[in-house]
Amino acid sequence: MKESSIQQKVQSEIALLLQKKRKEMSSRERVRLLQLKLYLKAKQEKGYKFYILYDKIFQGHILEEAYRRCKANMGSPGVDKQTFSDVEEYGRTKFLEEIKEELRTRTYKPHAVRRVWIEKENGGKRPLGIPTIKDRVVQQACKIVIEPIWEADFDDSSHGFRPKHSAKDAITEIRDNLREGKHSVYDADLSKYFDTIPHDKLMIVLSERIADPRVLHLIELWLKAPIVEEDGRYTGGKSNKQGTPQGGVISPLLANIYMHLLDRIVNNPKGKFSKEGITMIRYADDFILMSKHISQEMLIRLHHYIDRMGLMINKEKSKLVNAKESPFDFLGFTFRYDHSILFKGQKFWNVIPRQKSQKKIRQKVNAKLKKINHYPAPNVVEELNPILRGWMNYYRIEKVSYTQVAFKTLEDYLRRRMYQFYNRKSQRKSSLYGQQAFDMLVKEYGLIKPYMTSGLRPVNTLR
């Protein structure tokens, strides 16, 4: 979409919101109006610096909307062990008023971040930082205010952690590039990106648009917040010079802002990469370069820029491939140039869930069935549907029907597994014993049928 049409759309939305009197607007509508105005200002004036933003962060409707979004995401408690139930019992209004006063008087200080370790697909672990609910709300309020400014600058090829962008957009763009003949693909892997973002350079980038020192100081407080390890040890703190914790509400935005430096270099229409026909497609810290030909000279140049940014590229995991000859994976999908079954002698670009992802969903289903061994049929469906729906919604790409092969494989597995599940001696009293259990669960209880369906919850499905 052209910039002029985007701006016209934003102006129309502003006009519609302004038709309402301010007193009649909900908190969500008032937040939306502010964001649209900030976005439009940033879009129209590329070099404009915003000097007065801090006062907006602690406005009542901003904090209300920030709390609503944080509560919708739920999440584990931070170091203070406070839950949303605790906040509601204490009094949400009182809780937000206290935050507002701390921000207004600039006495707000973030708590330490609780660190937990999450299992990765490759068997390793990645750190996840969990702020307290109070800190999440303040981070969300700050994000509400500054995000539209950077959204006006972000490149269209950046798809991760952004409003109205998703992994599906990145996958579709890659497929379109392959069809255009950009078969030379450099799949890059950054080492521990979130943990290595240099604070000083990040603050310089932020100050390109944000000139309010109070907002910059607030962000610095979060970057310098100490971390409490699982064994109770405190690490990081004021001496910490790099990293933003994964799990923090504002961390994905900060990560995108810093990686936007690389977007600006590679996707600059007048730059060396564009002149070589190279396009970069990015989802957070995962990105690939695509072109009809990518020379070693351009890869050396890319590595040079990444090094200057204070980041590290994992050369063992990063690779340059000819996609016509060698499949490659990105964001859980595999891209392959396959022979067509229908049209002999022809080939096509096949986009499918990678084998590890297909194996993982089967393992999740199997683990869940073992856990709900004696549940009645309606509850079995209630437990399985969210797992199936989440996986299918992620891997369904508009105008790409090839994923239906993976959905058919999943359905065949479910059919066999449900037959086994209900064909045990302990299930003899069940009406599904010895029956085609999968078909009956689909028909009678609304179990999701993966193959050739939307994957959305049927109307009669139990919650």
Side-chain angles (χ1 to χ4, degrees):
M1 191 181 292
K2 293 182 179 179
E3 285 193 12
S4 58
S5 60
I6 293 173
Q7 291 179 28
Q8 288 173 2
K9 189 176 180 180
V10 170
Q11 287 171 335
S12 298
E13 194 171 344
I14 290 174
L16 285 172
L17 286 169
L18 287 174
Q19 286 177 7
K20 277 191 173 184
K21 293 180 180 178
R22 189 170 293 275
K23 290 182 180 179
E24 296 174 352
M25 283 187 184
S26 66
S27 293
R28 199 176 302 183
E29 287 172 329
R30 291 180 69 185
V31 165
R32 182 61 180 157
L33 181 60
L34 171 66
Q35 290 186 312
L36 288 170
K37 287 181 176 180
L38 290 169
Y39 174 87
L40 196 60
K41 180 70 174 177
K43 199 73 175 174
Q44 291 173 339
E45 299 184 41
K46 297 294 186 182
Y48 185 82
K49 290 192 175 187
F50 291 80
Y51 285 87
I52 304 174
L53 293 173
Y54 184 79
D55 295 345
K56 295 175 175 61
I57 292 173
F58 59 82
Q59 289 179 5
H61 62 282
I62 299 288
L63 290 174
E64 280 281 351
E65 178 63 13
Y67 179 82
R68 185 192 67 79
R69 293 185 187 184
C70 289
K71 187 180 178 183
N73 291 329
M74 294 303 288
S76 303
V79 292
D80 62 356
K81 299 183 181 178
Q82 186 182 51
T83 64
F84 282 99
S85 297
D86 296 331
V87 173
E88 295 294 329
E89 187 177 338
Y90 177 74
R92 185 181 65 177
T93 302
K94 185 180 178 183
F95 176 74
L96 294 179
E97 281 295 327
E98 289 174 356
I99 291 177
K100 179 178 180 178
E101 186 61 17
E102 284 187 27
L103 288 170
R104 188 187 68 80
T105 58
R106 300 191 66 190
T107 56
Y108 164 78
K109 292 289 186 295
H111 293 85
V113 175
R114 182 168 73 91
R115 175 175 282 173
V116 296
W117 293 87
I118 307 298
E119 296 285 344
K120 294 171 68 175
E121 276 190 20
N122 60 10
K125 292 184 177 182
R126 67 178 176 89
L128 188 67
I130 304 175
T132 62
I133 291 176
K134 177 181 175 181
D135 292 332
R136 275 181 252 175
V137 171
V138 181
Q139 286 187 25
Q140 185 66 258
C142 182
K143 183 185 175 190
I144 284 171
V145 173
I146 71 171
E147 185 174 51
I149 296 169
W150 290 98
E151 275 297 315
D153 291 344
F154 285 157
D155 198 278
D156 287 341
S157 64
S158 167
H159 301 287
F161 305 121
R162 292 183 59 194
K164 299 181 181 179
H165 285 261
S166 68
K168 293 181 181 182
D169 298 318
I171 299 305
T172 302
E173 189 175 350
I174 292 169
R175 181 203 59 192
D176 292 345
N177 276 323
L178 289 170
R179 288 175 174 175
E180 290 172 7
K182 294 185 176 182
H183 306 148
S184 187
V185 178
Y186 182 65
D187 183 5
D189 184 88
L190 292 178
S191 298
K192 300 179 180 178
Y193 172 64
F194 279 80
D195 296 332
T196 56
I197 298 173
H199 292 173
D200 55 348
K201 294 181 180 180
L202 172 61
M203 297 309 297
I204 291 171
V205 177
L206 286 166
S207 64
E208 288 182 2
R209 277 297 205 174
I210 302 171
D212 190 331
R214 298 168 297 175
V215 175
L216 295 174
H217 176 67
L218 195 59
I219 293 171
E220 271 194 302
L221 288 176
W222 293 321
L223 293 175
K224 300 293 185 184
I227 295 169
V228 179
E229 304 287 351
E230 289 180 318
D231 59 5
R233 289 183 300 109
Y234 278 75
T235 58
K238 292 182 179 180
S239 62
N240 189 20
K241 294 182 179 180
Q242 62 181 26
T244 178
Q246 291 189 64
V249 173
I250 203 166
S251 293
L253 176 59
L254 297 180
N256 263 338
I257 289 170
Y258 195 60
M259 278 298 288
H260 179 59
L261 279 175
L262 197 61
D263 294 340
R264 283 157 53 178
I265 294 168
V266 177
N267 291 331
N268 180 358
K270 297 180 181 179
K272 180 69 173 174
F273 288 90
S274 291
K275 288 178 180 178
E276 295 282 328
I278 297 173
T279 302
M280 184 169 90
I281 300 165
R282 183 170 67 80
Y283 188 92
D285 57 321
D286 292 318
F287 69 92
I288 61 173
L289 301 186
M290 302 186 73
S291 184
K292 292 182 178 179
H293 173 71
I294 300 176
S295 66
Q296 284 298 319
E297 178 192 347
M298 298 312 296
L299 293 183
I300 292 169
R301 187 182 290 260
L302 174 75
H303 291 185
H304 170 69
Y305 287 126
I306 289 172
D307 186 59
R308 283 183 61 184
M309 289 173 67
L311 304 175
M312 297 178 293
I313 197 155
N314 189 328
K315 293 182 180 179
E316 291 183 3
K317 291 185 178 180
S318 303
K319 58 182 179 179
L320 178 65
V321 300
N322 181 335
K324 273 196 167 183
E325 299 172 359
S326 177
F328 69 95
D329 296 332
F330 191 69
L331 299 179
F333 286 82
T334 296
F335 297 81
R336 291 199 315 239
Y337 196 52
D338 282 347
H339 287 280
S340 173
I341 299 174
L342 298 176
F343 304 100
K344 192 174 181 181
Q346 294 188 22
K347 301 185 81 174
F348 71 104
W349 288 108
N350 198 356
V351 186
I352 57 173
R354 60 188 297 206
Q355 288 301 317
K356 282 186 178 179
S357 301
Q358 295 188 51
K359 182 179 179 181
K360 191 173 181 180
I361 184 65
R362 293 194 295 269
Q363 289 173 337
K364 277 189 176 181
V365 169
N366 192 47
K368 178 61 70 174
L369 288 174
K370 287 181 179 179
K371 189 176 180 181
I372 59 174
N373 199 22
H374 298 290
Y375 278 32
N379 299 104
V380 170
V381 171
E382 186 178 20
E383 294 288 335
L384 289 181
N385 270 357
I387 298 173
L388 299 174
R389 186 183 307 106
W391 192 82
M392 291 174 64
N393 283 345
Y394 181 82
Y395 284 105
R396 179 175 288 101
I397 305 295
E398 189 178 354
K399 298 179 182 178
V400 176
S401 60
Y402 319 133
T403 53
Q404 285 293 336
V405 176
F407 292 171
K408 178 66 166 62
T409 302
L410 175 60
E411 184 172 313
D412 290 343
Y413 170 78
L414 285 171
R415 194 177 298 277
R416 292 193 305 272
R417 191 65 185 84
M418 298 314 298
Y419 181 80
Q420 294 169 356
F421 184 75
Y422 283 104
N423 207 35
R424 298 162 297 151
K425 290 181 180 179
S426 60
Q427 289 288 347
R428 282 181 177 175
K429 293 181 181 180
S430 171
S431 61
L432 296 171
Y433 178 77
Q435 304 295 317
Q436 295 298 321
F438 173 78
D439 293 327
M440 292 182 69
L441 287 170
V442 169
K443 184 178 179 180
E444 301 296 331
Y445 302 103
L447 179 67
I448 288 174
K449 186 178 186 296
Y451 184 53
M452 300 300 287
T453 66
S454 68
L456 301 177
R457 181 192 296 271
V459 175
N460 65 335
T461 304
L462 294 171
R463 291 188 176 274

